[in-house]
């Protein structure tokens, strides 16, 4: 069996087959090299801060081909890590945690096994080629929970991946479904971070025609709702009680849950018969054991997220390469009411601890 060290030695410098999905940078490569900007170093009160982006996407075309899928459009592909690193340097991001949004939850076991192996190998190769700039979340075939547990363990122990990336639901099933407990037990045992990101075939698809029309509502509303539902079920179905050591990070600031969390407490008071699973804490108290990325869009939104969850639960996220923001660092630096230590933790300190990144 190949050890993690042997795999990294074989993979160092080899990133063929990994495609970064990106908004692109204009101009030919030679012109870009001549005008490459100086790497932005983030400083808080005279202290250099290592910044970590927990929410950065990529794709592996070789794996997607097993399902007759392609990364689209072609102009969004990046074949060289140097292009992405240049964008990171401009924004002041030192390390990206790469993840791949699940598209394989309907595949059978054999295809899922092959697809995930390809993806995790390519992710590990990208990290080995630029170990100071990239870490990655393992892909897992959660529709086959026992296989997913094996893939997570292999991803962490053999390939050096730092956790797992999940969708907000699995082919219509909630992440709190007891059949997924083998995976949650393995994640808790390994002590690694699980990053939950919404996907198009979750709530955006099930709400169907109600999200059609102007405004891109399947994304603007549907994606945050998918995360809100996933987290709410993990709380109310007792999953977080059963696996209290889980480390879960939710994309897009946790969706709507932190903004209206008090209603989750009130439902059990107003209609106690509807809270059918006894919980060890009030629903809002579970927010203090979850993590949330900082991808909310105003200083007030970030201030409120901190107020509801605690600054120690916030990590920086950009959703790269989707152009929601290029100012994630400044968003944290510019939000009023935060101490220097809180800013340092949110910019990278907390994520570095969760992902095993050396400071």
């Amino acid at each position: 069996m190949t050890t993690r060290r042997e795999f990294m030695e074989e993979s160092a410098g080899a990133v063929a087959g990994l495609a970064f999905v990106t908004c692109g940078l204009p101009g030919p490569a030679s012109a870009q090299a001549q005008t490459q900007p100086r790497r932005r170093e983030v400083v808080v009160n005279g202290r250099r801060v290592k910044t970590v982006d927990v929410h950065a996407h990529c794709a592996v075309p070789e794996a997607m081909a097993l399902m007759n899928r392609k990364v689209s459009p072609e102009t969004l592909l990046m074949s060289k890590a140097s292009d992405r690193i240049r964008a990171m340097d401009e924004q002041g991001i030192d390390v990206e945690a790469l993840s791949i949004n699940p598209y394989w939850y309907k595949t059978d076991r054999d295809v899922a096994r092959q697809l995930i192996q390809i993806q995790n190998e390519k992710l590990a190769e990208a990290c080995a080629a630029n170990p100071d700039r990239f870490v990655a979340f393992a892909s897992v075939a959660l529709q086959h929970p026992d296989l997913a547990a094996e893939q997570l363990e292999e991803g962490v122990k053999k390939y050096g991946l730092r956790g797992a990336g999940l969708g907000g639901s699995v082919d219509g099933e909630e992440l709190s479904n007891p059949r997924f407990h083998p995976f949650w037990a393995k994640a808790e045992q390994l002590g690694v971070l699980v990053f939950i990101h919404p996907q198009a075939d979750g709530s955006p698809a099930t709400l169907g025609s109600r999200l059609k029309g102007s405004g891109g509502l399947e994304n603007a509303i549907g994606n945050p709702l998918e995360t809100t539902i996933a987290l709410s079920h993990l709380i109310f179905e007792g999953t977080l009680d059963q696996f209290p050591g889980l480390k879960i990070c939710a994309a897009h600031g946790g969706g709507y849950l932190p903004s209206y969390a008090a209603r989750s407490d009130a439902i059990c008071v107003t209609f106690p018969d509807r809270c059918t699973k006894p919980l060890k804490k009030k629903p809002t108290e579970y927010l203090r054991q979850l993590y949330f990325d900082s991808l909310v869009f105003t200083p007030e939104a970030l201030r409120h997220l901190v107020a509801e969850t605690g600054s120690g639960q916030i990590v920086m996220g950009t959703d790269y390469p989707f152009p929601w923001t290029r100012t994630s660092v400044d968003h944290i630096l510019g939000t009023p009411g935060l101490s220097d230590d809180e800013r340092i933790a949110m910019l990278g300190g907390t994520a570095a601890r969760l992902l095993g990144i050396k400071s």
Side-chain angles (χ1 to χ4, degrees):
M1 178 178 177
T2 304
T3 66
R4 172 183 170 186
R5 180 173 182 178
E6 289 169 343
F7 176 85
M8 292 305 179
E9 289 173 349
E10 292 170 0
S11 302
V15 293
L18 179 68
F20 291 119
V21 185
T22 179
C23 55
L25 293 170
S30 58
Q32 293 175 17
Q34 293 172 5
T35 60
Q36 183 169 345
R38 183 176 179 272
R39 180 174 176 178
R40 177 185 178 185
E41 295 187 349
V42 179
V43 176
V44 175
N45 195 18
R47 177 180 170 185
R48 171 72 165 96
V49 178
K50 176 175 278 190
T51 59
V52 180
D53 175 11
V54 303
H55 186 170
H57 299 289
C58 62
V60 177
E62 183 180 349
M64 296 180 73
L66 295 177
M67 293 182 60
N68 297 315
R69 297 171 66 111
K70 295 181 178 180
V71 181
S72 179
E74 289 288 327
T75 55
L76 296 183
L77 286 177
M78 248 174 28
S79 59
K80 294 191 301 182
S82 59
D83 292 337
R84 176 172 286 228
I85 290 172
R86 184 180 300 111
M88 292 165 63
D89 288 348
E90 291 175 347
Q91 297 181 41
I93 294 170
D94 294 312
V95 182
E96 276 188 350
L98 304 173
S99 59
I100 301 175
N101 279 358
Y103 56 87
W104 51 85
Y105 283 162
K106 295 181 184 294
T107 61
D108 64 35
R109 192 178 184 93
D110 290 339
V111 172
R113 184 186 297 277
Q114 184 181 0
L115 186 153
I116 297 302
Q117 182 174 352
I118 292 170
Q119 287 195 158
N120 288 344
E121 287 179 352
K122 296 302 181 183
L123 287 169
E125 288 172 9
C127 296
N130 293 279
D132 294 332
R133 305 310 300 269
F134 299 128
V135 296
F137 292 102
S139 299
V140 297
L142 196 53
Q143 71 272 35
H144 309 292
D146 61 322
L147 177 60
E150 294 174 10
Q151 291 167 333
L152 175 59
E153 185 161 32
E154 180 181 60
V156 171
K157 294 184 176 180
K158 178 179 178 180
Y159 298 128
L161 304 176
R162 308 305 173 92
L166 304 183
S169 56
V170 182
D171 195 19
E173 294 183 280
E174 296 300 332
L175 301 180
S176 59
N177 190 311
R179 84 180 193 92
F180 300 127
H181 284 183
F183 170 80
W184 291 122
K186 180 59 66 175
E188 183 181 46
Q189 176 193 344
L190 293 171
V192 294
L193 187 64
V194 176
F195 180 62
I196 296 177
H197 190 283
Q199 55 196 39
D201 61 0
S203 294
T206 56
L207 285 170
S209 61
R210 296 210 63 198
L211 296 180
K212 292 181 179 179
S214 180
L217 300 186
E218 74 286 348
N219 192 330
I221 294 174
N223 279 0
L225 182 60
E226 169 84 346
T227 305
T228 304
I229 294 171
L231 296 180
S232 296
H233 278 298
L234 289 172
I235 292 170
F236 280 107
E237 297 300 324
T239 308
L240 298 183
D241 279 342
Q242 185 158 353
F243 305 102
L246 283 175
K247 300 172 184 176
I248 293 174
C249 179
H252 311 124
Y256 305 120
L257 181 60
S259 297
Y260 207 32
R263 189 177 177 95
S264 294
D265 288 348
I267 190 72
C268 293
V269 174
T270 308
F271 302 103
D273 57 310
R274 301 186 186 182
C275 295
T276 58
K277 298 286 181 68
L279 301 178
K280 295 181 179 179
K281 299 183 288 190
K282 294 194 301 182
T284 51
E285 292 177 6
Y286 292 93
L287 299 185
R288 300 278 170 159
Q289 71 184 69
L290 298 169
Y291 296 90
F292 307 87
D293 79 12
S294 62
L295 194 57
V296 293
F297 296 96
T298 64
E300 172 56 23
L302 184 57
R303 184 210 63 78
H304 181 70
L305 183 62
V306 170
E308 292 295 321
T309 68
S311 60
Q313 308 307 113
I314 310 299
V315 292
M316 187 170 65
T318 68
D319 209 351
Y320 187 88
F322 303 102
W324 294 105
T325 178
R326 288 188 173 89
T327 58
S328 56
V329 168
D330 298 306
H331 182 42
I332 293 171
L333 291 176
T335 294
L338 300 176
S339 69
D340 289 344
D341 286 344
E342 287 177 316
R343 295 185 206 278
I344 290 169
M346 293 163 65
L347 287 165
T350 298
R353 173 175 53 80
L354 292 169
L355 295 170
I357 299 170
K358 295 180 180 179
S359 58

